[in-house]
Amino acid sequence: MAGLSLSFGAPLVLAGLLALPVIWWLLKLTPPRPQTEAFPPLRILQRVLKSEETPSKSPWWLTLLRLLLAALIIFALAAPTLNPRETLISGNGPVALVIDNGWASTTNWDETVSTAGTIIGQATDAGRPVSLVFTAENTDNDATPVEAATALERLAAASPRPIPVDRIAAFERLATALEGDQLGSLAFLSDGLDAEATDAAAEIAGQLGAGETLLYEPSIEGITALTAADNSTDALVVDAIRPSGRETGYQADILAVDSQGREVARTQLGFGTGETEAQARFAIPVELRNDIARLEVENRENAAEVRLVDDSFRRRRVALVSGEAADLAQPLLSPLYYISRALEPFADIVRAQSADLSDAIPNLLEQRPSVVVLADIGVLPDSAREALETFVENGGYLVRFAGPRLAATTGEDTLVPVNLRQGERQLGGAMSWVEPQTVAPMDGQSPFAGIAVPDDVTVARQVLAEPSVELSERTWASLADGTPLVTAESLGAGTIVLFHVTAEATWSNLPISGAFVDMLRRIVSQSRADGGAPADADEAAKSLPPYRVLSADGRLIAPGPDAEPLETGSEVAVDAAHPPGLYGSEDGYRAINLFAADDELAPLPALEWGPNTADMQYQNEEAVDLAPWLLAAALFLFALDALALLWLNGGFARLRSLATRRGETALPVVLAAAFGASVLAMTPGPAMAQETQDTEPGEQASSGPLDLEDMERAIRATETTHLAYVQTGDSAVDDLSASGLSGLTQFIASKTALEPGDPMGVDIETDELAFYPLIYWPIDPTTPMPSDDAISRIDAYMKQGGTVLFDVASDAMTGFSSGNASSGEMRLRDIIGDLDIPPLEPVPQDHVLTKSFYILEEFVGRYTDSELWVESLVEDAEGEMRPARGGDGVSSIMITSNDFASAWAVDDAGLFLFPTNTSDPTQRELAYRAGVNIVMYVLTGNYKADQVHIPALLERLGQ
């Protein structure tokens, strides 16, 4: 880390430090106010004749605190700056900044922006125009000199791009914009790496005739790039490079990540001293390798440290076609049994669904397999043969196995790699030529190279190839006597492979050996994941739209507006129109990476960028203005000084005395009120000034300290669940509501796990309603009509999830649903007329209220004439369910005239206060159950509307 430096914008202000001794002397002459203490009367009499004394000095710590406060203010006014910027540019004329913002600039982008900002700031001070050019952009007229403020805006909006730099184009734009004008200063902020045509860019820079040239080169230690990924048979091999000229080794972890961002595996990548190339191997099963979506360096910093893999890395699809029906009773004799067992762990197997080859093979090819396997198929229909030829020519693999049908073929077969003799060669039989033959070691040039075949694998029967000049070149495996065992030939972009033995163990025991599995895996791994594309593919498939692209720091993001489609099969250079990423769609895509297998990295060469070139280092430390921090520290010390004065003057003692007089529980509230008052005193505003003007002497303002009684009520309301009732102003009605809810509360506590607190009366004009889940409102026409503000508060309470139970008790004999409106009903209409309530309906038989705790068919109270009305739940199109809505399906309003409170009311001895209107002894029990269901419905919502409860409910009902 570079050494810290400090400068002052106004150093003469520091002379104020000489005044600190004077300040100290003044503090001694003005000590703090003496503390006032209360003494007993006798103590006062003892000292009544004593002369008055004044402290001669303030405490030393208070003096030190104030001296430090004065020093901080003096230092802040001197405008101190930590790590001040040195002067970078000089002279006159335009200032040009050419900035590398390609993929390699992400490592030091913050330092690049900081350095460029310093240069532009100095150009601002000198009144010089600035030309800002980025080497990874291709914007016309971006090099035109502009005001420094505009250049700063462009710099703030710039970001690294995941593409190589084009320096020659950037310098050409700069030369065109200057049109021969003399350039004052040129700053080239490079990424430290060589690029294409860098020498030509340096030549153009030298021709600009800048008075001075600043060349910035960052450290390129740790920069790596992944150039290739080979998913070979036994391992996944990743190639990486780093810049040349590195004298130290370098190691990093390479991560294999799937499409969901999960780590599949990791391995180590290591560069030796002076090495520029390295390899990393993932020795993991093929099944895991097929899940890899990208490879990246751990803690990657740029797009070059990410290697995307496309569909060619995915599991291959293999289509199997047999010449005879599979014998399910003897699966070991099936021609496809051993092939399936060998391929299923790492390939998707699809089988023919029809015995008609002219129909089965085209249908299989529509599924885009990578490999098609034909087991003992002799004669193919013309349509099937033509479809297979197109499949192979477009890149597919066709693997054929011999058998009696293929041996009996007499016509010319275009889908075999070599010409075959008619009939088969039999070894070891009555008409045998020689004993059964073993398999010869695999040739080093064969695709099967490295596969060891056990000595006990023999061939007893096979089809023979006609001798020809090309036979040895087309042979992948042979017998010990030199007879071809596996032959292959390229056809278009694909390959035809022929095993001269059957796919089951009748002609050879090769299919039951491990070598057979390795041979099939080697063939499938060489095939393409997307198989052979149909020749008449849709024209739109010839171009692949950008699906996901890499950002400069190696993240997959949505493509920007500059990204263009990729032509299928074309070689595309990575640029702004084709950034690295995935092209295609979610169903299939092609990966474009930043580096190819033969690319290299090299440091920026030593070139002549112009006269008076100076090599510079990026600024990695920000200049820090210390004045705000010093002022904040001074403000903090000022607050400490104020607290110290409060303590010395006995302010805290008076607060403790006040707390003692009002009780210990009030101390936190007093302290909170004191803190709030101090904050308000420090931040006066229009509201406070208006309040001061409107409040008469001796009258408490509305925004005064919080009422302790209100706080205690809020705490009591939220300690446990309370049922609430509206205080109507009529003591008789309110006492009845309190007795009724008290009786219901006792019943709920005895029958359920809920233990509610005592009912609480609420004044809907002033009290907070959100504390209560249910509010019982008895409607009595003799009570005062609530105000508009009260109605508005009730409406807000209901919309926020609360429920109000309106009980028109005085209408019991008339009935709420009666055709004649009573005075109680008229009062209810006046109240709810100003409420925003949904349509209402009597509680349906399938409503949650009928089964929230007890199973009920009606909701009775002291009376039984009225129904209970709730929000109407609209059925769905099929009428099968009632959807849940806001508030978890709980109705915000309930209306009845059955006088619930009178049915629930009990006295202190637990005796009922009012009789029911019928002689049925179960009516009061049903009234209590109705109350329990209402409370449980309000608290638990519509969870019992779930269909999973229906069987249990039907069983209880005995249906």
Side-chain angles (χ1 to χ4, degrees), residues 1-5 82-83 85 111 114 618-623:
M1 179 177 178
L4 299 178
S5 59
L82 185 65
N83 298 322
R85 296 304 190 194
E111 291 81 1
S114 176
Y618 282 103
Q619 299 175 349
N620 54 7
E621 293 181 348
E622 291 287 342

Side-chain angles (χ1 to χ4, degrees), residues 878-942:
E878 300 179 358
E880 295 182 354
M881 59 179 290
R882 294 176 178 270
R885 298 190 300 190
D888 201 18
V890 176
S891 175
S892 62
I893 183 173
M894 301 182 188
I895 301 176
T896 186
S897 62
N898 282 337
D899 195 359
F900 282 146
S902 297
W904 300 333
V906 294
D907 58 14
D908 295 338
L911 300 179
F912 301 119
L913 295 180
F914 300 95
T916 58
N917 69 330
T918 67
S919 59
D920 187 357
T922 63
Q923 180 176 341
R924 195 178 303 275
E925 175 70 18
L926 292 176
Y928 275 117
R929 293 188 176 188
V932 173
N933 273 28
I934 291 173
V935 173
M936 291 301 172
Y937 165 68
V938 170
L939 294 178
T940 61
N942 64 352

Side-chain angles (χ1 to χ4, degrees), residues 369-529:
S370 301
V371 180
V372 175
V373 178
L374 303 181
D376 192 20
I377 299 254
V379 179
L380 286 168
D382 292 340
S383 60
R385 185 182 69 256
E386 293 174 358
L388 285 174
E389 288 178 351
T390 303
F391 164 76
V392 176
E393 290 174 353
N394 289 331
Y397 264 64
L398 175 62
V399 181
R400 303 190 65 175
F401 285 86
R405 290 178 176 79
L406 183 61
T409 303
T410 58
E412 181 180 358
D413 194 341
T414 58
L415 292 177
V416 292
V418 294
N419 294 326
L420 301 178
R421 293 185 183 181
Q422 187 176 358
E424 71 268 11
R425 174 192 184 195
Q426 185 174 359
L427 304 174
M431 302 295 292
S432 65
W433 295 345
V434 291
E435 294 298 322
Q437 293 290 304
T438 59
V439 179
M442 300 298 175
D443 185 81
Q445 303 299 321
S446 169
F448 294 153
I451 298 178
V453 182
D455 295 337
D456 57 352
V457 173
T458 58
V459 175
R461 185 175 294 185
Q462 69 172 143
V463 293
L464 290 175
E466 291 285 357
S468 65
V469 177
E470 301 88 1
L471 183 59
S472 59
E473 298 177 357
R474 300 178 182 178
T475 301
W476 284 10
S478 59
L479 300 179
D481 63 357
T483 305
L485 175 63
V486 181
T487 55
E489 179 190 13
S490 297
L491 178 62
T495 304
I496 300 175
V497 181
L498 173 64
F499 282 77
H500 291 243
V501 294
T502 56
E504 24 76 24
T506 56
W507 285 20
S508 171
N509 60 355
L510 175 64
I512 62 176
S513 68
F516 183 73
V517 176
D518 293 337
M519 295 165 75
L520 288 181
R521 287 191 176 186
R522 187 72 60 87
I523 294 173
V524 173
S525 65
Q526 293 179 349
S527 64
R528 289 166 39 184

